[in-house]
Every structure is written in C-alpha cells, then in structure tokens.
Amino acid sequence: MKLDRLLTRHRRMGRAAARRALAAGRVRVDGVVVRDRELEVDRFREVMLDQARIQEPERARYLICHKSAGLLSATSDPVHRTVLDLIDAPEREGLHLVGRLDRASTGLILLTNDGRWSKRILSAENKVPKVYLVETAAPVMEEAVTAFAQGFWFPTENAFTLPAQLEILGERTARVTLEEGRHHQIKRMFRRVGNRVISLHRVRIGRLDLPEDLQAGQWREMTPEEVLLVTHPAPSHPRTCPFP
Ligand code: URA
C-alpha cells in the first residue's frame, strides 16, 4: 500500500494532513524518515508518525523444506497429505508455497508469508534458476540437449518454453535447469524427446542448495543469508583495472 494511503487510514488523518506530515519529515519507515508519499509499504514495515505507531510490522517468514514423495504441493487437500501438513497449526498460519513440485517429485521447496518474495522467485522475468536431478526410463540422448535449449511449443499454454539447460550425467540421469515453472514442465519436455521421467528431485533454487542435513519431510526457518541466496544473483567478478 502507498505510504500516504496508509497514513490516511490512521484515525483522524485526512489526505492533506498526511501530505503535510510527510513533507515535514514526521513519518518514519523502519526508523528512516520518508517523504515520498508514493512509497509502497508492505505489512512487514514499521511505520511511525511522530511517536505513534501507525503500522506494527508483521514478521516475514521464510522456510526451507525437503519435500518427500507423496505430498501434494498445496495448502490443504481433503484426501492427500500436503507439504503444509508437515508444519504444525500455529506455525503454518499465513504461509504459502513458492511454486510447486509434483506429488511424486522430491526436494527443495520454499514457504513464506511474503508474497513479493515468492513472486520474485516465480516470475520468469527474474530468471531465478531451479535445478533438478532427473532419472529417465530410456537413455538421455545428446540431441535432447539442443532440443531443451531451443525450447518446446506448449499448445495448452500457447507459449514456447524458455531455453532450458540439460546436462547428461549418466545413461539415464541428467541435471535440468529451468528459469520458469510450467505445469509438469520437465516431464512434458522429456516426453517430447521420446523419453519418460522416472524420478525428479529439486536440488537448487537461485544459489540456494538443498542442505544435506535436511532430511525428506523436514523443514526449518531460513537464515537471512539463505533468503538472499534465492533471489540475488552471484556478484559479477570485480573488473580488474587495465592500468598499473
Ligand atoms: N517439472 C515437472 O515435471 N515436475 C515437477 O515437479 C517440477 C518440474
């Protein structure tokens, strides 16, 4: 919500008064004086007008989970256990999944109450890579590497898949890196090259690896560093000065 709107929702404060308060430097967001009335303020920020707290900040939560096979990527389901069922009642309140893994797929899945963070991860524009280990029914052919890189036409979505990286690891094993997440995408791509996925395990999102000590079915809060690893690309190498 825009800062001036948030202020006008405060008792007895009209629009003109909100603007005057902003111009006078009486408004602080997370302790910093802000004069920009257009500033988007989410519910995780503390907003103060003089000594009065206009908005109490909500705690942003970021969880990492190792999804086991058989769990649905959903918040609730009348029949099947879901990823959210791994988390007990008060803890799971307000959380949503950042993307999905098929019921049989395993590995890294994230949960949060911060919709802006999950949007950043899921938006294809941001090119956050998601890495999967795949086992296939038939040998992975060299031609598939080019086909994945060129993309496939998915008529149901009326769209081409973005270039995907396929690395052959063994006769029937491969690593796939996607920068988007279409429904059953990897399974559908392998079907297009005449193969079939037997198992699928996500090992990485952005620069965050599935921790080795997180067993299937376990979850924990993420560290602030891990939260940044998901959305922030690796810093590019500092340029070396060509002059002595
Ligand atoms: N692609 C799939 O086909 N399934 C998943 O769970 C993830 C990516």
Side-chain angles (χ1 to χ4, degrees), residues 100-102 105 132 178 182 184-188 200:
R100 290 163 185 275
L101 285 173
D102 295 338
S105 301
Y132 302 80
L178 300 181
R182 299 183 181 279
H184 298 319
Q185 181 163 348
I186 295 179
K187 289 181 182 154
R188 290 158 80 194
L200 194 53

Side-chain angles (χ1 to χ4, degrees), residues 25-179:
R26 292 169 54 206
V27 180
R28 276 167 295 136
V29 177
D30 288 346
V32 177
V33 171
V34 175
R35 289 187 165 82
D36 178 7
R37 61 187 156 98
E38 300 267 311
L39 183 79
E40 279 293 338
V41 180
D42 62 32
R43 60 191 200 284
F44 307 116
R45 313 272 152 232
E46 180 194 56
V47 180
M48 300 285 289
L49 170 65
D50 301 325
Q51 301 314 313
R53 186 174 283 115
I54 305 290
Q55 176 170 273
E56 180 86 47
E58 216 179 285
R59 187 166 76 91
R61 299 186 61 212
Y62 306 96
L63 273 55
I64 183 169
C65 177
H66 183 163
K67 180 191 174 296
S68 41
L71 296 179
L72 268 191
S73 292
T75 32
S76 65
D77 187 83
V79 181
H80 301 290
R81 278 195 90 212
T82 71
V83 175
L84 263 292
D85 288 333
L86 293 171
I87 304 165
D88 288 336
E91 293 255 54
R92 60 192 271 176
E93 226 164 84
L95 294 176
H96 63 265
L97 289 161
V98 183
R100 290 163 185 275
L101 285 173
D102 295 338
R103 206 169 135 217
S105 301
T106 56
L108 178 55
I109 193 154
L110 305 173
L111 300 105
T112 185
N113 60 353
D114 181 350
R116 278 167 65 173
W117 186 67
S118 47
K119 226 166 149 187
R120 259 162 69 191
I121 298 165
L122 297 176
S123 161
E125 272 172 34
N126 293 329
K127 298 185 182 298
V128 175
K130 288 110 191 158
V131 183
Y132 302 80
L133 295 179
V134 187
E135 248 184 286
T136 57
V140 185
M141 308 305 272
E142 205 54 56
E143 305 84 79
V145 176
T146 318
F148 274 49
Q150 284 174 341
F152 298 94
W153 174 250
F154 278 5
T156 42
E157 287 100 319
N158 200 27
F160 276 104
T161 58
L162 293 174
Q165 193 185 0
L166 171 66
E167 299 160 80
I168 300 174
L169 301 179
E171 199 189 22
R172 290 179 167 78
T173 53
R175 181 166 38 233
V176 176
T177 304
L178 300 181
E179 287 177 346

